[in-house]
Amino acid sequence: MSAPNRKGMGLGDALLVWMAIGFIVVFGGGTYAAVHLGSWMAGIDSPPNIRLI
């Protein structure tokens, strides 16, 4: 049997992971900011509660 390949992650793989994390942070933060800005513009004290379940 041959030994397993243990090269690890390359630069491209690491960059892809960090880009995915950055996208999630930017999308989540943008959504959070949009909800709060929209509620402020509508004159609502706090954003509406959304129940996912």
Side-chain angles (χ1 to χ4, degrees):
M1 280 192 170
S2 62
N5 187 359
R6 297 186 183 181
K7 287 184 179 178
M9 284 188 13
L11 179 62
D13 295 332
L15 186 61
L16 185 63
V17 169
W18 282 109
M19 285 178 60
I21 291 171
F23 175 77
I24 292 169
V25 168
V26 168
F27 183 75
T31 302
Y32 178 83
V35 166
H36 282 273
L37 183 63
S39 66
W40 174 73
M41 291 175 67
I44 301 171
D45 289 337
S46 64
N49 292 331
I50 299 173
R51 297 183 88 185
L52 298 176
I53 299 176

